[in-house]
Every structure is written in C-alpha cells, then in structure tokens.
Amino acid sequence: MKPALALLLLAVQAPAVKPAAADLPRGKVVEKVVCAAAPQESYALYLPSGYTPDRAWPILYVLDPRSRGTVAAESFRQGAEKYGYILASSNNTLSDTAIDPNVQAMRAMWADTHGRLAIDDRRVYAAGFSGTVRSCCTLARAVPGTFAGIIGAGAGFPFHEPPKKGDPFVFFGTVGDKDFNYYEMMDLEPRLREAGITHRVEIFDGVHQWPPEELATRALGWMEIQAMKAGTRPKDSGVIEELWGQTLGHARAAEAAGDLFQAHRYYAGAAADFAGLRDTSEAAAKATALAANPALQKEWKEREARLKRDKEMLEQAPGILAAAVGPGSEPTTVARVVAALKIHELRAQAKNAPEADERLSAQRMLNTIGVQAGYYLPQSFNEKKQWDRSIFVLSIATEISPERPAVWYDRAEAYARKGDRKRALADLRQAIDTGWKDLDALRQNEAFAPLRQDPEYQRLTAALEPRKPKP
C-alpha cells in the first residue's frame, strides 16, 4: 500500500468502541499494548504522571528498527515525563526491509492511540533510528501536516530523496561520533539548511544507537521551542529560559574545553532556535566571534579535509569487497582483502593516533566497513544459502572487531549451517570468551541443532547457565 493512502486511512481505523485508558498506568512504560483493531500489532506506551483525558496531549510515535518498543521508549521516557508527552513505541517496526511493516505499524498505533487517548493532533511527532528515520520522513511527506517534527537517530532522509523546500516538518538529528552513518549526517546538515528546513543535528559520544537519555530529553525540549514558535503551544518563559541556559551551558563548557567546533554549533544553534522567543544577541555575538577565530577556521578546514579523505577511502571499500565475493570474483584470501582495506592500519590509528579526531576518524571507518562485512553482506549471502561467502566476509569482520562477540557467533552459525562442526564450535567458544551471554538465542537457533549432543557444545552452554547461589 502506498504510504499516502495508508495514512489517509488512519482516521477511519479507530475502533468503533473506545478501549478504556483508565486502567493504563501513568509514569511507567507499559511494555505491550495490543492494538484493538489490529491485534497482530502492539506498542510500548508511556503516559506522563499527570496525564488526564481532560485536555489534549502531544504524542511521540517511536519506530525502532528491531521492533524493540520498550528499549526505544525508555530512551525518551525522561523527556516525555518532563515535557508531558505520550509515547507510543511500536513492537513491530523494522529497518533494512520494505516500508510496509512500518506503514502497518504506524496505522495501527495511530488508530489505537487516537481511540484510547486525548491527543493534540497539531503536536504529533515521530522518532526513528537508522532505517526507520527514512520511514518517518516518507510518511510525513505522504500527508503533509501529519507530523510536526521528526527526531532522526543515526540516519536522515530516504536515499535519493534529499531534503527539499516545503518539507512539512522540523528535524532534530542525532549521531554518535563513531557511528558508521556519521558521514551521512554531516552531509545532511547543509542540505537541510539549503532546503530551509528548521533543524538541529547533535553529535554525541557513541556509536550507531538511539541517543542517550539526556540528549533524547533535549530533543523533546527542542520540539517544545519549535511548537512555541509555531503557535501550537503557549509560550512558557520558564521552559524557554531553562532550555536557553542549558544550551549556553553546553556551549560554554565546550569552549572552556577547547572544542571550538562544538561551541560554535551550540552558540549558533541557540541564536537560531530562540529567535523570536527571547533576546539571542549573546549567543549570536559569540557565534560570530568564534567564526572569525583563526583557530576555528583552521579546524574547519582540517575537518573538511579529513571528511573528504575518509569518504574517498570508504568509496573504495565496496569495490574491494565485491572483487572478493561478488559474482565472477577471482579467488583471493581474507588476508589480502584485509590488507587492501587497510584494516590493521586503521586499527592501529584508532588506538594510537596522537590526535583524538584522527582516532575517531579511524574508528568510524572501521565501523563503516564492519557493518558491511559483519551484517549486510552476510545477511544477503545467508538468505541465498551461500555459506562460504558469508564465512569469508565474517572472517573480515573478525579482523575489524575481534573483540565483538557477535561476529564470532554469526560466523559460528554460518559454519554450523555449512556443516563444519569443528569450526562452528571453535567460533562459539570465541564468542563466549569475548562476552556472548545470550543462552536463549543460542538454544533457539536451529542452526546449532546438530551440535547439541556434542560434549563441547554442552560444556559451552553450561558455562552460560546462571550460577545458583550457594546455600
């Protein structure tokens, strides 16, 4: 179903009889609310402590890329309580697939929440992580005015559909400084600016993930400011001054630490965000002064050169991998591919480079190559039952991140599916030695069924059993 048609049907999907909301607890995340009109769909729900049906409340619909409704809701719970948002976080949304599951989940949540709860339709927001950010943008464009704003974690707009003038929502982006989508998010910022879309993109210390709770709370605070500017929320001087002080506090802390790049982003952001709500001359003046600072100008140039270099290196990686495992590829070895990708050099740089920015740069490149070798390519090969190719790229992933238990576990699974019991057990042992703890996943994975009577497999699983306390 086309997204536009799907969203146009939202209004008629509400249950004929409203399910009661009185029995839903306030101030805690309810892990599973089943949609009355679509029982195959469910969502985690958070109602602020002060929620009553006597007035309409803003709502944030959250689309997690792995159907982890509660995990995603917990990221925003603190902010939802602070600013009075309802959270509805789907247990059915997915990334790296067609948009259909996300359209269905959104329709079901929309209908169910509008049937149960008092919602301010002028203040409906969506949050996505990774591929579900793209789904949020597609849905928001399908019916302009449906979503007032989008919070995008670790990804931006749909591929080949960049921001454009007239996009009917504001955008708050977050990205970890070691995220493999960091480059995308840095490229997104000027495109948002050129399209005239009100936006903020925040960088935090982290990888590819939902933003930390503190930043997720700030994202909702930013939406409060935008609602005041749009006239969909009464102006509140207390909230304005608190958020203004918070933003300037971050700016001053970054400046004091010598991080002029981040300090300028905070000052310039404050000047733009609070314009029309309070005097912003202090932030504007600081942003202007920093922009004229030779040290920051030098940092901007170095940063642009580093990003350009990184992207040029990363553009070569798909060709190197395709030459090794693509159709008609010539026989090669893991060692040769690892050398061509400069994995060992990047690992050394990530650990030992004198400059922090160079260490981050190397780690981002490793993470970017690693997600291809450790996730997307083996996933594709596994679907085609091409176990040798899956094992090959996962072997590259073990060179990129030997400390990650998941790559050893995934390669163990590929070996098991191929029928190589000895190597499957060796990789399972390595996965456990590096921190794999999910005994339930191991037991439920049918790939390992042929190994279950093996004494070594039994020893490995026994090591994962919870230890009973001594009497």
Side-chain angles (χ1 to χ4, degrees), residues 339-363:
L341 293 169
K342 297 180 168 45
I343 299 303
H344 294 156
E345 293 92 325
L346 288 171
R347 281 182 59 81
Q349 183 180 326
K351 184 178 181 180
N352 301 319
E355 294 183 12
D357 285 337
E358 285 298 319
R359 295 194 295 274
L360 284 173
S361 164
Q363 190 59 59

Short mmCIF file of all heavy atoms in Angstrom, two decimals, residues 339-363:
data_model
loop_
_atom_site.label_atom_id
_atom_site.label_comp_id
_atom_site.label_asym_id
_atom_site.label_seq_id
_atom_site.Cartn_x
_atom_site.Cartn_y
_atom_site.Cartn_z
N ALA A 339 44.22 -6.50 3.92
CA ALA A 339 45.32 -5.59 3.59
C ALA A 339 44.84 -4.49 2.65
O ALA A 339 45.19 -3.31 2.81
CB ALA A 339 46.47 -6.37 2.96
N ALA A 340 44.03 -4.86 1.64
CA ALA A 340 43.53 -3.87 0.69
C ALA A 340 42.64 -2.83 1.37
O ALA A 340 42.64 -1.65 1.00
CB ALA A 340 42.77 -4.56 -0.44
N LEU A 341 41.90 -3.27 2.38
CA LEU A 341 41.03 -2.35 3.12
C LEU A 341 41.78 -1.57 4.20
O LEU A 341 41.19 -0.71 4.85
CB LEU A 341 39.89 -3.14 3.78
CG LEU A 341 38.86 -3.78 2.83
CD1 LEU A 341 37.97 -4.75 3.59
CD2 LEU A 341 38.02 -2.70 2.14
N LYS A 342 43.05 -1.89 4.39
CA LYS A 342 43.89 -1.21 5.39
C LYS A 342 43.35 -1.37 6.81
O LYS A 342 43.43 -0.45 7.64
CB LYS A 342 44.07 0.27 5.04
CG LYS A 342 44.79 0.51 3.73
CD LYS A 342 44.94 2.00 3.45
CE LYS A 342 45.88 2.30 2.30
NZ LYS A 342 45.73 1.48 1.10
N ILE A 343 42.82 -2.55 7.10
CA ILE A 343 42.19 -2.77 8.40
C ILE A 343 43.19 -2.66 9.55
O ILE A 343 42.92 -2.00 10.57
CB ILE A 343 41.49 -4.15 8.44
CG1 ILE A 343 40.40 -4.22 7.38
CG2 ILE A 343 40.94 -4.44 9.83
CD1 ILE A 343 39.35 -3.15 7.48
N HIS A 344 44.35 -3.28 9.41
CA HIS A 344 45.31 -3.25 10.51
C HIS A 344 45.83 -1.83 10.75
O HIS A 344 46.04 -1.43 11.90
CB HIS A 344 46.45 -4.22 10.23
CG HIS A 344 46.01 -5.65 10.23
ND1 HIS A 344 46.69 -6.66 9.57
CD2 HIS A 344 44.94 -6.26 10.81
CE1 HIS A 344 46.06 -7.81 9.75
NE2 HIS A 344 45.01 -7.58 10.49
N GLU A 345 46.03 -1.09 9.65
CA GLU A 345 46.48 0.31 9.81
C GLU A 345 45.41 1.14 10.52
O GLU A 345 45.73 1.96 11.40
CB GLU A 345 46.80 0.93 8.44
CG GLU A 345 48.00 0.32 7.75
CD GLU A 345 47.60 -0.83 6.81
OE1 GLU A 345 46.64 -1.57 7.13
OE2 GLU A 345 48.26 -0.96 5.76
N LEU A 346 44.14 0.93 10.14
CA LEU A 346 43.07 1.69 10.77
C LEU A 346 42.92 1.32 12.25
O LEU A 346 42.68 2.19 13.09
CB LEU A 346 41.75 1.44 10.03
CG LEU A 346 41.63 2.10 8.65
CD1 LEU A 346 40.38 1.60 7.92
CD2 LEU A 346 41.58 3.62 8.77
N ARG A 347 43.08 0.05 12.58
CA ARG A 347 43.00 -0.35 13.99
C ARG A 347 44.12 0.30 14.81
O ARG A 347 43.89 0.77 15.93
CB ARG A 347 43.05 -1.87 14.11
CG ARG A 347 41.73 -2.55 13.80
CD ARG A 347 41.80 -4.06 13.99
NE ARG A 347 42.17 -4.44 15.35
CZ ARG A 347 41.33 -4.49 16.37
NH1 ARG A 347 40.05 -4.18 16.21
NH2 ARG A 347 41.75 -4.86 17.58
N ALA A 348 45.30 0.35 14.23
CA ALA A 348 46.42 0.99 14.92
C ALA A 348 46.17 2.48 15.09
O ALA A 348 46.44 3.05 16.16
CB ALA A 348 47.71 0.74 14.15
N GLN A 349 45.62 3.10 14.05
CA GLN A 349 45.33 4.54 14.12
C GLN A 349 44.24 4.82 15.15
O GLN A 349 44.32 5.79 15.91
CB GLN A 349 44.88 5.04 12.74
CG GLN A 349 44.61 6.54 12.67
CD GLN A 349 44.18 6.95 11.27
OE1 GLN A 349 44.63 6.39 10.28
NE2 GLN A 349 43.29 7.94 11.19
N ALA A 350 43.21 3.97 15.17
CA ALA A 350 42.12 4.17 16.12
C ALA A 350 42.61 4.08 17.56
O ALA A 350 42.05 4.72 18.46
CB ALA A 350 41.02 3.14 15.87
N LYS A 351 43.65 3.31 17.77
CA LYS A 351 44.17 3.12 19.13
C LYS A 351 45.27 4.10 19.49
O LYS A 351 45.32 4.59 20.64
CB LYS A 351 44.70 1.69 19.27
CG LYS A 351 45.18 1.33 20.66
CD LYS A 351 45.65 -0.11 20.73
CE LYS A 351 46.11 -0.48 22.13
NZ LYS A 351 46.57 -1.88 22.22
N ASN A 352 46.12 4.43 18.52
CA ASN A 352 47.37 5.12 18.87
C ASN A 352 47.58 6.50 18.25
O ASN A 352 48.57 7.15 18.58
CB ASN A 352 48.56 4.23 18.45
CG ASN A 352 48.54 2.88 19.12
OD1 ASN A 352 48.23 2.78 20.31
ND2 ASN A 352 48.83 1.82 18.37
N ALA A 353 46.70 6.95 17.35
CA ALA A 353 46.92 8.26 16.72
C ALA A 353 46.99 9.35 17.79
O ALA A 353 46.18 9.36 18.72
CB ALA A 353 45.82 8.56 15.72
N PRO A 354 47.94 10.27 17.68
CA PRO A 354 48.07 11.31 18.71
C PRO A 354 46.85 12.21 18.83
O PRO A 354 46.50 12.64 19.93
CB PRO A 354 49.30 12.11 18.24
CG PRO A 354 50.03 11.20 17.31
CD PRO A 354 49.00 10.35 16.66
N GLU A 355 46.19 12.50 17.70
CA GLU A 355 45.05 13.41 17.73
C GLU A 355 43.75 12.63 17.91
O GLU A 355 43.51 11.62 17.23
CB GLU A 355 44.98 14.21 16.43
CG GLU A 355 46.13 15.18 16.24
CD GLU A 355 45.96 16.01 14.97
OE1 GLU A 355 44.85 15.98 14.38
OE2 GLU A 355 46.93 16.66 14.56
N ALA A 356 42.88 13.13 18.79
CA ALA A 356 41.60 12.47 19.05
C ALA A 356 40.75 12.38 17.79
O ALA A 356 40.08 11.37 17.55
CB ALA A 356 40.84 13.21 20.15
N ASP A 357 40.77 13.44 16.97
CA ASP A 357 39.96 13.43 15.74
C ASP A 357 40.42 12.35 14.78
O ASP A 357 39.60 11.76 14.06
CB ASP A 357 40.02 14.80 15.06
CG ASP A 357 39.18 15.84 15.78
OD1 ASP A 357 38.24 15.44 16.50
OD2 ASP A 357 39.45 17.04 15.63
N GLU A 358 41.73 12.07 14.76
CA GLU A 358 42.23 11.01 13.88
C GLU A 358 41.85 9.63 14.42
O GLU A 358 41.56 8.71 13.66
CB GLU A 358 43.75 11.13 13.72
CG GLU A 358 44.19 12.26 12.81
CD GLU A 358 43.69 12.08 11.39
OE1 GLU A 358 43.71 10.94 10.86
OE2 GLU A 358 43.26 13.09 10.78
N ARG A 359 41.83 9.49 15.74
CA ARG A 359 41.39 8.22 16.33
C ARG A 359 39.92 7.97 16.01
O ARG A 359 39.53 6.86 15.65
CB ARG A 359 41.63 8.22 17.85
CG ARG A 359 43.11 8.27 18.24
CD ARG A 359 43.31 7.93 19.70
NE ARG A 359 42.71 8.88 20.61
CZ ARG A 359 43.28 9.99 21.05
NH1 ARG A 359 44.51 10.30 20.65
NH2 ARG A 359 42.66 10.79 21.90
N LEU A 360 39.11 9.01 16.16
CA LEU A 360 37.69 8.89 15.83
C LEU A 360 37.48 8.58 14.36
O LEU A 360 36.64 7.75 14.00
CB LEU A 360 36.95 10.18 16.19
CG LEU A 360 36.66 10.42 17.66
CD1 LEU A 360 36.09 11.82 17.87
CD2 LEU A 360 35.68 9.38 18.19
N SER A 361 38.24 9.25 13.51
CA SER A 361 38.14 9.03 12.07
C SER A 361 38.39 7.56 11.74
O SER A 361 37.63 6.93 10.99
CB SER A 361 39.14 9.92 11.34
OG SER A 361 39.34 9.49 10.02
N ALA A 362 39.44 7.00 12.29
CA ALA A 362 39.79 5.61 12.00
C ALA A 362 38.71 4.67 12.52
O ALA A 362 38.33 3.70 11.84
CB ALA A 362 41.13 5.27 12.63
N GLN A 363 38.19 4.94 13.72
CA GLN A 363 37.16 4.06 14.28
C GLN A 363 35.89 4.13 13.46
O GLN A 363 35.22 3.11 13.25
CB GLN A 363 36.88 4.44 15.73
CG GLN A 363 36.01 3.42 16.45
CD GLN A 363 36.65 2.04 16.47
OE1 GLN A 363 37.74 1.87 16.99
NE2 GLN A 363 35.97 1.04 15.91
#
